[in-house]
Structure formats: structure tokens, C-alpha cells
Amino acid sequence: MGLYLLDYGAGNVQSLANSLSKLGHSFEWISSPADFHKATSLIFPGVGAFETAVENLTKKGLLEPLREYLQSGKPYFGICIGMQVLFQSSAESPNFYGLGIVPTTIDRFDDSDKTVPHMGWNSADLVQTPDVGPAFYYFVHSYCAKYSPTDRPEAASWTYTTTQYGGEIFISSVRKGNVFGTQFHPEKSGAAGLALIDNWLRTPEAERSAGISKPVSLPPPTVSLKSRDNLSKRIIACMDVRSDDNGNLIVTKGDQYDVREKVPSGSSMQVKTGGAVRNLGKPVTLASKYYAAGADEICLLNITSFRHSPLQDQPMLAVVRAAAKYVFVPLTIGGGIKDTVDPDGTKRSALEVASEYFRAGADKVSIGSDAVYAAEKLLASGQNHGDGTSSIATIAHAYGRQAVVVSIDPRRVYVDAVTYNGPHKDELVHGSPESILESDRGKSWWYACTVSGGRETRSISVCQLARAVEVLGAGEILVNSIDRDGTGLGFDSDLLRLVKGSVKVPVVASSGAGKKEHFSEVFEQTGVEAALAAGIFHRGEVDIGEVKEHLTHNNIKVRTYVA
Ligand code: 1PR
């Protein structure tokens, strides 16, 4: 008897489990249809694709028991896909049906005026009490239930909160009787989300039901659209993780991807290989520190991929498991997401590797080198769609495209613009004579992609790569810059504008942040959705709070509330 969590075998259920443990609530997992009878409260934290959720629930014989549980009137809390399955169907998977309890459909966001997926912190505005200030939660989804009290009055009667994204208002949570569902992820929404889960669990069933079954008076559909889109720009703290020369996992930070201490020339040490790997701290300690400081997301990159460990014994998995216990904002893990072979010869698909990370507590995986190979394969095929076998496609199919980040490591290739007749001529960037960097003035270049942490340069350009991985199923693009990494010279706006102009998915700026002003510059000059930094945070030169204060001062929306 008690609280049960429903896991259909995909999606990051670990985040919710960690939130409940942090809040001091014990729970069991639903492992068979019979468990539904034992549950007195049920949480379904669905992540991923609608089809995968419905298919897996059906295969495991859990869909009908779930329906019966809901009909019994016992408390239910569905998160993201756990809310969407309450609806009739989703445009994401037209051949699969939901439970039809909320009488309307889930549709795709219109991407003609905005980036899709809707990713980041936005406000959930209470429909019942519009005078209460909005609370900010983390959203990540491409499909939503449109809020339309005139056309869909029955569905509107379920509406607990609405949220606006671009010109669209959607139902961000539903509530009726003991059924509650949120499109956003409270388990990834910092202190506000933890408080919401805690409140729901601490409210006795009778009160929970009584407080919400009052008639709901709905506000007029739309008044001032623009003013209510509260999607904020995200600040991401990134940790490059690798083992030091003694085999301990540490956070390091390079200059243009060289992570070893510089050794003075003429020293008796080996000048060619450089000094020791720079040690900037322990990954879990730093991750929890950045969470507490207000980072909107945390990124852990395994920069050497630990190729020789069996998958189950990846040192990085232990880091992710530990970090996820302290971090209640989205956690992205990168490095080594590709088909691998364990030392005993067991083959592991990229999907299996990613699944291990999701089960450990990651919310997104970031794919570097393998994305370049997949994009090259797509370009060589001459097709405008993939064959569904790439790591990007398989992971996006199982977990939803929002869980797949592609991390690009571009490097400038300088050319003489007057005589140049090589590839990517149409993508050449010309350094303006007023450029703040003297070294850029009068020069021309294109951006080549690299693999293996910048060790090998490929002929595919950054725009080609960005467009291809979007087609293959990437939900977000993280744009590093080997030229700017660790220099503190500021983000490469030319590069970011090119990528931003090539895709519809969110773009994260990375590499080069040296002062808080660089963050406002990159948001104003390029329109990216998020900015990531490493060195300045690790060295304590600028605090995340200072960055956000500066952005707020410059009228750039950020999530300011922190625990
Ligand atoms: O190819 O799928 O195994 O992924 C490898 C991942 O590891 C890629 O995301 C790649 O960017 C990363 N990586 C590989 N080698 C290095 C290295 O530094 N030698 N790190 C590396 C890349 C870039 C950012 C960095 C920002 C911000 N580091 O992670 O944090 O540049 O730095 P700054 O704010 O200090 O300028 P795969």
C-alpha cells in the first residue's frame, strides 16, 4: 500500500525517484498489473515519445490496469508523457491512442514563429486564480494540448494552468478529481518543482479532490499574447570530465581543447605532451555547487570516452548516478554515445549506451563524433531523410528528440576570399574591419566540423552538419568553438548566427565566455536559446547569479528564483 511509480521501461524515471528520496517520501515501482491494486497514489513520470510510451504500456499489460486505476478515483500524477497519455491521441504518433480521459488531442507546436522543441523554463499560469504570480518550471516537448476554451470547452474544463510559447497558449497542467498532470517536469524544476511534488504528496486525498472539483472560471482566451511568453534564456554550467594521470575522475578545462598544464619551454619535462591534466575539482561537488547557484542545466562531458570499460562499469555512469542525487535541473551527459564493443566482445548499441545514462539519471545525451559520421552518411546518400539507424535517430525514437543533443566541435578554416574556390564558399564569414578581435579583421573563413575532441578535421561544414542532424532527429545543438574554447574572448557570434540560421531546434552557445557581458552579447547578437560556460565558473571569476543579474538588467528573461 502506498505511493507507486510507473516505469514502462524508457524515459528518465530516476530523476523523479531521486526527487522523492530527497523529499523523504518512500515509494515502490509498479512491476506488474497486480501492483495497481496496492497503490494508493500513483506517479507516472513519462519521458520520450508518445508512441513508445503507449506501445510499452500495452506490451507490458499496463495500459488497461492504468485506465482502471484512474477510473477508481485514486490519486494520479502524470508528468509530461504521463500527462499526455490521458488525452485521446497525439500527432506525434497518429497510429497510437491515449486513454481519452481528457477529451482532446495533442498537437505539434507551430514552428513557423519559433524554435521547436519548447525547451527551458517558462511560467505556468493558474487558470483558476489568475492574480497569483506565475511559477516557473522546466519544459521540454514538441507536442502540446492547445488551450482553446471556445473550440474545446470540455478539455478546457480540465485546465489547471496554461503556458504561452510564441503565439500559442497550451495546457501546461490538467486537474480534475484526483487526476493531476503536468506537461512540465517538476522533478527537473529546482526548488519550485520539488515543492509542487511535496505539496501534492502531502495533501490528503479528500482535500486534494475537494480543492479542485470546484467549478473553474476561465479567463478570456488571449489578451496580450507576447507579454505572457515567459520562456527564459538558460545558463548552463559545463564540466569536462576525464581521468587524471592517476586514474581519478576530475573536472578539467582546456585552452582550445588542450587540457594539460603548459610546461615552460626548456624545462626538463616533456614539452611535447605538456604537463599534468588540469584539475579544477570533483564532478559531483561542482555539479551540486552549480545547481545551488542557480544553473538552469548541468552538462557533464566525458571528454576521453573511457573506451575500454565495459558499459556496465563505466566510471562516468557512477558520476551521473551521484550527481543526479543532488541536481534537480536537467542533466546532460556527453562523450562516447555511439555503438561500442565491451572488452569481452559484447556489442552495445548507442541506444543501449544512452539508456544506461538515462537510467543513471541523465535527462539528455549529447552526441559528438558519431553525429558527424551520421551527417556525412546522410549527405552521401543524397536523401533528405535518414534510414532510422543512426544513434541520433534510434535514441530520439525511444526517448523523444528533446533528449538528443548534438555537440559540434567546429574549427575555423582560414582562406583567401579573393582566390578561394573550394567547398563551402557560400558559408564564408568575413571578419569586419571593426571586429573587436584584431586577429579577425580582414580575414575570411568557414567552419569545419571535427571528431574525436578536435583531433581530426572533416570536410563537412557546421551548417551542413546542423541541418543534417536536425533531419536525423536531434532536438538541440550545442555549438562549441575550438578557436574560442578557454580563451575568455567571448562566444563566436559569427559561428552561432550561422548555426541558428540553419535550424529550427534550440541552439546552445558554448566556448569563450570570459565576463558576464559576453552572455548578454551572445543572446542579443545571435538569438540562441542558452549559453554554456565552464572556465569562468570553475575558476570562480564570475558567479551564475551575477550573470543572471546582468541579463535581467539588460531585459533578457532568465529564471532568477533559486532555492
Ligand atoms: O565525440 O561523442 O565522444 O563526444 C566528446 C565530447 O567531449 C564532445 O562534446 C566534445 O565537445 C567534448 N570534448 C572532447 N575533447 C575535449 C577537450 O576539451 N579536449 N571538450 C572536449 C570540449 C568544450 C566545452 C567547454 C566549452 C566552454 N569542451 O565542453 O566546456 O568550450 O569552455 P569555456 O567556457 O571555458 O570557454 P564524443
Side-chain angles (χ1 to χ4, degrees), residues 73-76 175-180 200 203-215:
K74 287 193 278 184
Y76 173 84
R175 198 163 187 179
K176 200 179 254 193
N178 264 334
V179 177
F180 184 38
W200 186 80
T203 310
E205 285 172 32
E207 192 187 323
R208 185 158 42 217
S209 174
I212 50 185
S213 51
K214 289 182 218 145

PDB file of all heavy atoms in Angstrom, residues 73-76 175-180 200 203-215:
ATOM      1  N   GLY A  73     -10.604   6.548  -9.104  1.00  0.00           N
ATOM      2  CA  GLY A  73     -10.611   7.825  -8.386  1.00  0.00           C
ATOM      3  C   GLY A  73      -9.459   8.000  -7.420  1.00  0.00           C
ATOM      4  O   GLY A  73      -9.394   8.994  -6.693  1.00  0.00           O
ATOM      5  N   LYS A  74      -8.512   7.052  -7.448  1.00  0.00           N
ATOM      6  CA  LYS A  74      -7.349   7.210  -6.560  1.00  0.00           C
ATOM      7  C   LYS A  74      -6.394   8.243  -7.170  1.00  0.00           C
ATOM      8  O   LYS A  74      -6.376   8.440  -8.386  1.00  0.00           O
ATOM      9  CB  LYS A  74      -6.654   5.851  -6.377  1.00  0.00           C
ATOM     10  CG  LYS A  74      -7.461   4.907  -5.480  1.00  0.00           C
ATOM     11  CD  LYS A  74      -6.643   3.706  -5.058  1.00  0.00           C
ATOM     12  CE  LYS A  74      -6.626   2.634  -6.127  1.00  0.00           C
ATOM     13  NZ  LYS A  74      -5.919   1.421  -5.729  1.00  0.00           N
ATOM     14  N   PRO A  75      -5.583   8.879  -6.327  1.00  0.00           N
ATOM     15  CA  PRO A  75      -4.740   9.980  -6.829  1.00  0.00           C
ATOM     16  C   PRO A  75      -3.713   9.554  -7.874  1.00  0.00           C
ATOM     17  O   PRO A  75      -3.014   8.558  -7.701  1.00  0.00           O
ATOM     18  CB  PRO A  75      -4.038  10.480  -5.565  1.00  0.00           C
ATOM     19  CG  PRO A  75      -4.883  10.030  -4.439  1.00  0.00           C
ATOM     20  CD  PRO A  75      -5.485   8.736  -4.865  1.00  0.00           C
ATOM     21  N   TYR A  76      -3.648  10.360  -8.918  1.00  0.00           N
ATOM     22  CA  TYR A  76      -2.729  10.104 -10.036  1.00  0.00           C
ATOM     23  C   TYR A  76      -2.014  11.408 -10.386  1.00  0.00           C
ATOM     24  O   TYR A  76      -2.631  12.469 -10.446  1.00  0.00           O
ATOM     25  CB  TYR A  76      -3.519   9.631 -11.254  1.00  0.00           C
ATOM     26  CG  TYR A  76      -2.685   9.494 -12.523  1.00  0.00           C
ATOM     27  CD1 TYR A  76      -1.961   8.333 -12.772  1.00  0.00           C
ATOM     28  CD2 TYR A  76      -2.627  10.522 -13.470  1.00  0.00           C
ATOM     29  CE1 TYR A  76      -1.195   8.202 -13.937  1.00  0.00           C
ATOM     30  CE2 TYR A  76      -1.868  10.399 -14.628  1.00  0.00           C
ATOM     31  CZ  TYR A  76      -1.159   9.231 -14.857  1.00  0.00           C
ATOM     32  OH  TYR A  76      -0.403   9.102 -15.999  1.00  0.00           O
ATOM     33  N   ARG A 175      -6.145  19.120 -14.195  1.00  0.00           N
ATOM     34  CA  ARG A 175      -6.503  18.685 -12.855  1.00  0.00           C
ATOM     35  C   ARG A 175      -8.013  18.524 -12.760  1.00  0.00           C
ATOM     36  O   ARG A 175      -8.758  19.434 -13.116  1.00  0.00           O
ATOM     37  CB  ARG A 175      -6.017  19.742 -11.859  1.00  0.00           C
ATOM     38  CG  ARG A 175      -5.937  19.228 -10.459  1.00  0.00           C
ATOM     39  CD  ARG A 175      -5.085  20.118  -9.605  1.00  0.00           C
ATOM     40  NE  ARG A 175      -4.918  19.477  -8.316  1.00  0.00           N
ATOM     41  CZ  ARG A 175      -4.196  19.977  -7.320  1.00  0.00           C
ATOM     42  NH1 ARG A 175      -3.560  21.115  -7.477  1.00  0.00           N
ATOM     43  NH2 ARG A 175      -4.107  19.333  -6.179  1.00  0.00           N
ATOM     44  N   LYS A 176      -8.442  17.366 -12.344  1.00  0.00           N
ATOM     45  CA  LYS A 176      -9.870  17.135 -12.112  1.00  0.00           C
ATOM     46  C   LYS A 176      -9.966  15.937 -11.175  1.00  0.00           C
ATOM     47  O   LYS A 176      -9.265  14.934 -11.380  1.00  0.00           O
ATOM     48  CB  LYS A 176     -10.609  16.845 -13.419  1.00  0.00           C
ATOM     49  CG  LYS A 176     -12.102  17.067 -13.319  1.00  0.00           C
ATOM     50  CD  LYS A 176     -12.790  16.800 -14.637  1.00  0.00           C
ATOM     51  CE  LYS A 176     -13.232  18.075 -15.338  1.00  0.00           C
ATOM     52  NZ  LYS A 176     -14.152  17.853 -16.444  1.00  0.00           N
ATOM     53  N   GLY A 177     -10.851  16.039 -10.175  1.00  0.00           N
ATOM     54  CA  GLY A 177     -10.908  14.959  -9.196  1.00  0.00           C
ATOM     55  C   GLY A 177      -9.511  14.727  -8.654  1.00  0.00           C
ATOM     56  O   GLY A 177      -8.790  15.671  -8.335  1.00  0.00           O
ATOM     57  N   ASN A 178      -9.120  13.487  -8.614  1.00  0.00           N
ATOM     58  CA  ASN A 178      -7.785  13.174  -8.104  1.00  0.00           C
ATOM     59  C   ASN A 178      -6.751  13.006  -9.199  1.00  0.00           C
ATOM     60  O   ASN A 178      -5.661  12.497  -8.971  1.00  0.00           O
ATOM     61  CB  ASN A 178      -7.845  11.906  -7.243  1.00  0.00           C
ATOM     62  CG  ASN A 178      -7.979  12.266  -5.778  1.00  0.00           C
ATOM     63  OD1 ASN A 178      -7.556  13.352  -5.373  1.00  0.00           O
ATOM     64  ND2 ASN A 178      -8.556  11.381  -4.996  1.00  0.00           N
ATOM     65  N   VAL A 179      -7.113  13.426 -10.412  1.00  0.00           N
ATOM     66  CA  VAL A 179      -6.168  13.300 -11.526  1.00  0.00           C
ATOM     67  C   VAL A 179      -5.443  14.624 -11.723  1.00  0.00           C
ATOM     68  O   VAL A 179      -6.077  15.675 -11.852  1.00  0.00           O
ATOM     69  CB  VAL A 179      -6.906  12.912 -12.832  1.00  0.00           C
ATOM     70  CG1 VAL A 179      -5.925  12.848 -13.989  1.00  0.00           C
ATOM     71  CG2 VAL A 179      -7.630  11.592 -12.653  1.00  0.00           C
ATOM     72  N   PHE A 180      -4.143  14.546 -11.722  1.00  0.00           N
ATOM     73  CA  PHE A 180      -3.310  15.740 -11.920  1.00  0.00           C
ATOM     74  C   PHE A 180      -2.265  15.378 -12.962  1.00  0.00           C
ATOM     75  O   PHE A 180      -1.743  14.249 -12.971  1.00  0.00           O
ATOM     76  CB  PHE A 180      -2.644  16.103 -10.581  1.00  0.00           C
ATOM     77  CG  PHE A 180      -1.826  17.366 -10.595  1.00  0.00           C
ATOM     78  CD1 PHE A 180      -2.221  18.485 -11.313  1.00  0.00           C
ATOM     79  CD2 PHE A 180      -0.647  17.440  -9.866  1.00  0.00           C
ATOM     80  CE1 PHE A 180      -1.460  19.657 -11.302  1.00  0.00           C
ATOM     81  CE2 PHE A 180       0.125  18.604  -9.847  1.00  0.00           C
ATOM     82  CZ  PHE A 180      -0.294  19.710 -10.570  1.00  0.00           C
ATOM     83  N   TRP A 200       1.765  17.985  -3.410  1.00  0.00           N
ATOM     84  CA  TRP A 200       0.803  17.010  -3.923  1.00  0.00           C
ATOM     85  C   TRP A 200       0.801  15.768  -3.027  1.00  0.00           C
ATOM     86  O   TRP A 200      -0.242  15.242  -2.688  1.00  0.00           O
ATOM     87  CB  TRP A 200       1.160  16.625  -5.362  1.00  0.00           C
ATOM     88  CG  TRP A 200       0.125  15.736  -5.988  1.00  0.00           C
ATOM     89  CD1 TRP A 200      -1.066  16.115  -6.532  1.00  0.00           C
ATOM     90  CD2 TRP A 200       0.170  14.314  -6.093  1.00  0.00           C
ATOM     91  NE1 TRP A 200      -1.756  15.014  -6.978  1.00  0.00           N
ATOM     92  CE2 TRP A 200      -1.016  13.901  -6.730  1.00  0.00           C
ATOM     93  CE3 TRP A 200       1.106  13.346  -5.731  1.00  0.00           C
ATOM     94  CZ2 TRP A 200      -1.303  12.562  -7.000  1.00  0.00           C
ATOM     95  CZ3 TRP A 200       0.830  12.014  -6.001  1.00  0.00           C
ATOM     96  CH2 TRP A 200      -0.373  11.629  -6.631  1.00  0.00           C
ATOM     97  N   THR A 203      -0.772  16.527   0.492  1.00  0.00           N
ATOM     98  CA  THR A 203      -2.188  16.880   0.573  1.00  0.00           C
ATOM     99  C   THR A 203      -3.006  15.599   0.680  1.00  0.00           C
ATOM    100  O   THR A 203      -2.952  14.761  -0.195  1.00  0.00           O
ATOM    101  CB  THR A 203      -2.629  17.637  -0.704  1.00  0.00           C
ATOM    102  OG1 THR A 203      -1.703  18.672  -0.928  1.00  0.00           O
ATOM    103  CG2 THR A 203      -4.031  18.204  -0.549  1.00  0.00           C
ATOM    104  N   PRO A 204      -3.779  15.448   1.736  1.00  0.00           N
ATOM    105  CA  PRO A 204      -4.585  14.225   1.850  1.00  0.00           C
ATOM    106  C   PRO A 204      -5.539  14.107   0.660  1.00  0.00           C
ATOM    107  O   PRO A 204      -5.983  15.112   0.112  1.00  0.00           O
ATOM    108  CB  PRO A 204      -5.357  14.415   3.161  1.00  0.00           C
ATOM    109  CG  PRO A 204      -4.650  15.503   3.884  1.00  0.00           C
ATOM    110  CD  PRO A 204      -3.967  16.346   2.860  1.00  0.00           C
ATOM    111  N   GLU A 205      -5.865  12.881   0.331  1.00  0.00           N
ATOM    112  CA  GLU A 205      -6.683  12.623  -0.859  1.00  0.00           C
ATOM    113  C   GLU A 205      -7.966  13.441  -0.895  1.00  0.00           C
ATOM    114  O   GLU A 205      -8.305  14.036  -1.901  1.00  0.00           O
ATOM    115  CB  GLU A 205      -7.049  11.146  -0.927  1.00  0.00           C
ATOM    116  CG  GLU A 205      -5.894  10.294  -1.348  1.00  0.00           C
ATOM    117  CD  GLU A 205      -6.201   8.820  -1.232  1.00  0.00           C
ATOM    118  OE1 GLU A 205      -7.366   8.456  -1.427  1.00  0.00           O
ATOM    119  OE2 GLU A 205      -5.270   8.056  -0.932  1.00  0.00           O
ATOM    120  N   ALA A 206      -8.715  13.466   0.227  1.00  0.00           N
ATOM    121  CA  ALA A 206     -10.009  14.150   0.234  1.00  0.00           C
ATOM    122  C   ALA A 206      -9.840  15.629  -0.096  1.00  0.00           C
ATOM    123  O   ALA A 206     -10.544  16.191  -0.928  1.00  0.00           O
ATOM    124  CB  ALA A 206     -10.669  13.991   1.584  1.00  0.00           C
ATOM    125  N   GLU A 207      -8.826  16.229   0.537  1.00  0.00           N
ATOM    126  CA  GLU A 207      -8.602  17.661   0.330  1.00  0.00           C
ATOM    127  C   GLU A 207      -8.154  17.928  -1.115  1.00  0.00           C
ATOM    128  O   GLU A 207      -8.594  18.851  -1.775  1.00  0.00           O
ATOM    129  CB  GLU A 207      -7.512  18.114   1.292  1.00  0.00           C
ATOM    130  CG  GLU A 207      -7.368  19.612   1.397  1.00  0.00           C
ATOM    131  CD  GLU A 207      -6.145  19.966   2.231  1.00  0.00           C
ATOM    132  OE1 GLU A 207      -5.865  19.242   3.214  1.00  0.00           O
ATOM    133  OE2 GLU A 207      -5.476  20.924   1.870  1.00  0.00           O
ATOM    134  N   ARG A 208      -7.302  17.037  -1.595  1.00  0.00           N
ATOM    135  CA  ARG A 208      -6.798  17.171  -2.963  1.00  0.00           C
ATOM    136  C   ARG A 208      -7.968  17.174  -3.934  1.00  0.00           C
ATOM    137  O   ARG A 208      -8.059  17.974  -4.840  1.00  0.00           O
ATOM    138  CB  ARG A 208      -5.874  15.982  -3.237  1.00  0.00           C
ATOM    139  CG  ARG A 208      -5.199  16.035  -4.554  1.00  0.00           C
ATOM    140  CD  ARG A 208      -3.938  15.194  -4.605  1.00  0.00           C
ATOM    141  NE  ARG A 208      -4.032  13.901  -3.971  1.00  0.00           N
ATOM    142  CZ  ARG A 208      -3.029  13.346  -3.291  1.00  0.00           C
ATOM    143  NH1 ARG A 208      -1.896  13.980  -3.157  1.00  0.00           N
ATOM    144  NH2 ARG A 208      -3.153  12.156  -2.760  1.00  0.00           N
ATOM    145  N   SER A 209      -8.880  16.279  -3.698  1.00  0.00           N
ATOM    146  CA  SER A 209     -10.017  16.152  -4.594  1.00  0.00           C
ATOM    147  C   SER A 209     -10.989  17.321  -4.430  1.00  0.00           C
ATOM    148  O   SER A 209     -11.435  17.912  -5.399  1.00  0.00           O
ATOM    149  CB  SER A 209     -10.702  14.830  -4.313  1.00  0.00           C
ATOM    150  OG  SER A 209     -11.858  14.736  -5.059  1.00  0.00           O
ATOM    151  N   ALA A 210     -11.261  17.709  -3.172  1.00  0.00           N
ATOM    152  CA  ALA A 210     -12.247  18.770  -2.938  1.00  0.00           C
ATOM    153  C   ALA A 210     -11.774  20.105  -3.495  1.00  0.00           C
ATOM    154  O   ALA A 210     -12.535  20.834  -4.126  1.00  0.00           O
ATOM    155  CB  ALA A 210     -12.510  18.900  -1.443  1.00  0.00           C
ATOM    156  N   GLY A 211     -10.489  20.398  -3.301  1.00  0.00           N
ATOM    157  CA  GLY A 211      -9.973  21.705  -3.691  1.00  0.00           C
ATOM    158  C   GLY A 211     -10.018  21.949  -5.180  1.00  0.00           C
ATOM    159  O   GLY A 211      -9.925  23.077  -5.642  1.00  0.00           O
ATOM    160  N   ILE A 212     -10.177  20.904  -5.952  1.00  0.00           N
ATOM    161  CA  ILE A 212     -10.056  21.077  -7.389  1.00  0.00           C
ATOM    162  C   ILE A 212     -11.331  20.777  -8.143  1.00  0.00           C
ATOM    163  O   ILE A 212     -11.400  21.003  -9.318  1.00  0.00           O
ATOM    164  CB  ILE A 212      -8.931  20.176  -7.912  1.00  0.00           C
ATOM    165  CG1 ILE A 212      -9.161  18.798  -7.369  1.00  0.00           C
ATOM    166  CG2 ILE A 212      -7.586  20.709  -7.517  1.00  0.00           C
ATOM    167  CD1 ILE A 212      -8.100  17.840  -7.694  1.00  0.00           C
ATOM    168  N   SER A 213     -12.321  20.291  -7.433  1.00  0.00           N
ATOM    169  CA  SER A 213     -13.517  19.958  -8.183  1.00  0.00           C
ATOM    170  C   SER A 213     -14.499  21.130  -8.232  1.00  0.00           C
ATOM    171  O   SER A 213     -15.577  21.012  -8.768  1.00  0.00           O
ATOM    172  CB  SER A 213     -14.190  18.725  -7.585  1.00  0.00           C
ATOM    173  OG  SER A 213     -14.362  18.913  -6.207  1.00  0.00           O
ATOM    174  N   LYS A 214     -14.075  22.274  -7.647  1.00  0.00           N
ATOM    175  CA  LYS A 214     -14.925  23.460  -7.745  1.00  0.00           C
ATOM    176  C   LYS A 214     -15.023  23.874  -9.213  1.00  0.00           C
ATOM    177  O   LYS A 214     -14.080  23.657  -9.966  1.00  0.00           O
ATOM    178  CB  LYS A 214     -14.260  24.630  -6.998  1.00  0.00           C
ATOM    179  CG  LYS A 214     -14.270  24.494  -5.500  1.00  0.00           C
ATOM    180  CD  LYS A 214     -13.618  25.742  -4.930  1.00  0.00           C
ATOM    181  CE  LYS A 214     -12.781  25.436  -3.733  1.00  0.00           C
ATOM    182  NZ  LYS A 214     -11.593  26.260  -3.636  1.00  0.00           N
ATOM    183  N   PRO A 215     -16.144  24.525  -9.588  1.00  0.00           N
ATOM    184  CA  PRO A 215     -16.229  24.952 -10.979  1.00  0.00           C
ATOM    185  C   PRO A 215     -15.113  25.948 -11.305  1.00  0.00           C
ATOM    186  O   PRO A 215     -14.755  26.785 -10.472  1.00  0.00           O
ATOM    187  CB  PRO A 215     -17.601  25.611 -11.075  1.00  0.00           C
ATOM    188  CG  PRO A 215     -18.225  25.529  -9.730  1.00  0.00           C
ATOM    189  CD  PRO A 215     -17.305  24.856  -8.791  1.00  0.00           C
TER     190      PRO A 215
END
